[in-house]
Amino acid sequence: MKIPPIGIKPDPGANLLKRIRGLMASEEGVQARLDKFVKIISSSMKANVASIYLRAGDDLELCATKGLKQTAVHATRLSINEGLVGNVARRARVLNIAEAVDHPDFVFKEETGEQRFHSFLGVPLLRGGRNLGVLVVQGKRARVYSETEVENLLTAATLLAEIAVADERAGGNKARLKGIRLTPTGAETITGKAFADGLVQGRAVLHLPPVASGAMIAAKPAEEQIRLEKAIRQMRRSVDAMVDGVNGDAANTGVAMGAASKEIFESYRLFAYDRKWLASLREAVNAGLTAEAAVERVRNEHRARMQKARDPYLRARLHDLEDLANRMLRTLGGENVAPGQRQLPDNAVVFARNLGPAEVLDYDRDKLRGIVLEEGAATAHATIICRTLGIPLVGLAERVLDRVEADDQVLVDGEMGEVRIRPTPNDIDDFLVRVGIKAELSTAFKQQRNLKAVTKDGQKISLLLNAGLLVDLPGLDSMGADGIGLFRTEFQFMVSERMPRLGEQVELYKRALAASGDRPVTFRTLDLGGDKILPYADPQPEENPAIGWRAIRIGLDRPAMLRYQLRALLLAGAGQHLRIMFPMVATTSEFQAARGLLDKEIARTKKMGGVAPKKLEVGVMLETPALAWQIDAICQHADFVSVGANDLMQFFFAADRDNPRVAGLYDGLHPAALSLLAHIADRCKAANTQLTVCGEMAGKPLEAICLTALGYRNLSMPVTGIGPVKSAILALDAGKLSALIKPKITSGTAADSLREDIIKFCEQERIPV
């Protein structure tokens, strides 16, 4: 027996958890495991009784015990409102009392033989917000259990819930207890965030990351080094295949995958060839660990970094390393990690905590219909891949893995960001109606692709595309966009693991200009900071990052970085029509300072004998209320104004649109918001300054027709918005809607929103919104 050092007491809780984890690895049937579980609890906590009660419908059934009569197992039941056990289950709270019989909820069950016991400690078995049952210990001596004992039992209850659910999910006769159902059965709707558009019906598939083998120490270190090197080579080959867009079954990834998202997998490949990461793996194996244990150790080091990262985008980048670690473990386990090799049933919807870009391509593309993630991010590599491949993706679906079961029927709404699990027949019927309407609209949008967006009263509207990566450019032609109204240049910086070189920036900008042809492309300079932190930058914590050091403020404080990008834009736009705009400008002087840096780069280009753009337009992104009230001044200096409606409305209402507690205050159709937008449009028209709107408002038909009525003639939006907005504009008489809106925003109305009035107008005018 190992004797602990003097002054250090052995931790009974640690021993308890060690024994429970050993039980979790057992392959015995569920009843045998429950029986062993109560014995472990009883002996570790020195309790006379340890019992497990599990939910059986609205009752709690005694399923295992050490200390009560064995004949009571599966014979004793309590309702949720009955006894001390029912008290714990009903309140989902710990009950710790010295004299059980003195509690008003105490009931005596003669068949259990529990009259000999006094102390009672019960803790709920909770998983994913659901109460699965109660874990109880009892003693002959009247006493209140210590905080440490309560904490140990709570931890044991958490592990027990995992054991019970895992057993039930595994299926088979050994995995179920008659009459006990721990996994959910009713219809549920979970609201997350829509990251990739689409509506799909399918069957749930749970994405289970690989589990490392239990062996930690290598029996034969030399052989382990060989295994590691072999796994590294195989892992690299699979990543190289993704970058090149080829694999054993090209149909699973598609030809477009290799070109459209190559920059994503190039940055992913940097991880696969990262010397520090590989050196850490080799060092761990050389120290005597198995290859699997080495992967886990290095993974844990990166997880620690992930937990410290405040920025969600940086966390998403670090998740790519988690993806590679899983790929290494699968390779070491003998699995084929070539793209498209993970088998799926037909109409599969994959549910996972998170996915890396390579994990998306691991699945059979012909059968993968959608993805639902508990985590994820709008700018994550996996999200961009899903958008490229047309795979609907809902992210930030809180606790969805606790509420979905393998093979559950599910409906994934990539438009609203909702997931319906085990839907009712009515849910399915309504959903299929939406799918049918969407298909009909898609056909209609394609038919009107070559039509210009002109209102019934003759107002010509330019519908422009928001873009940022090569994956977005095909939308120009597929939806008949009139150009790119917002090219987010920071995306290239964010999907890379290092600062893009000058040539790389020039190449991206050239490809955007080439894809657009003679249509305009407006490049926004780097809009970094806030929630967009570079993976290779050192983030500076701020109290309020949305209105902190970001966008043009960083550019003016770091002029070398801004000039470097402006140089790339000038090189890409040589001899062409080039449009550049500066983001998050709060004052006219900020715009003048940024324009001064551009002038220096233009002078440098001429001095170096370079070719200047055939036509250069320099504009400003109006995102701050301060600049809105300097609109006359800014129009004297800027060639065009682009209203960044997302941030402008957020700052105008002092309401974070992503915060559910205040999101209701954020309404672009509020009279005050429309009044501000009308003021901007009127002053730009008076100054003969070109005006555009970017952001969510421009891509929503109802809001877009209001902008048109206020005088906006250029709307820039996501590719999914162009078809619906064009349909609405073609059916709109802008003069009629203007006559409805303008009196309401100038009369001092107390209405919170004009939304209902505008919807009624659309119904009368038969405008599809």
Side-chain angles (χ1 to χ4, degrees), residues 549-562:
W549 195 57
R550 56 172 288 205
I552 197 62
R553 298 166 184 177
I554 295 177
L556 293 176
D557 285 350
R558 300 286 186 270
M561 183 172 70
L562 179 56

Side-chain angles (χ1 to χ4, degrees), residues 366-434:
D366 291 333
K367 296 180 178 180
L368 178 61
R369 292 290 175 265
I371 295 175
V372 179
L373 302 177
E374 283 193 343
E375 298 176 1
T379 52
H381 284 168
T383 300
I384 296 170
I385 296 302
C386 286
R387 282 169 39 207
T388 305
L389 294 176
I391 301 172
L393 169 62
V394 172
L396 300 179
E398 188 175 358
R399 300 203 324 265
V400 70
L401 292 177
D402 292 329
R403 299 156 75 178
V404 69
E405 299 301 317
D407 204 41
D408 275 346
Q409 187 166 185
V410 294
L411 307 175
V412 179
D413 186 341
E415 296 178 346
M416 305 298 294
E418 288 186 346
V419 183
R420 292 184 182 272
I421 302 171
R422 299 173 295 276
T424 65
N426 286 340
D427 290 337
I428 296 173
D429 290 343
D430 292 344
F431 189 82
L432 292 179
V433 168
R434 284 186 61 201

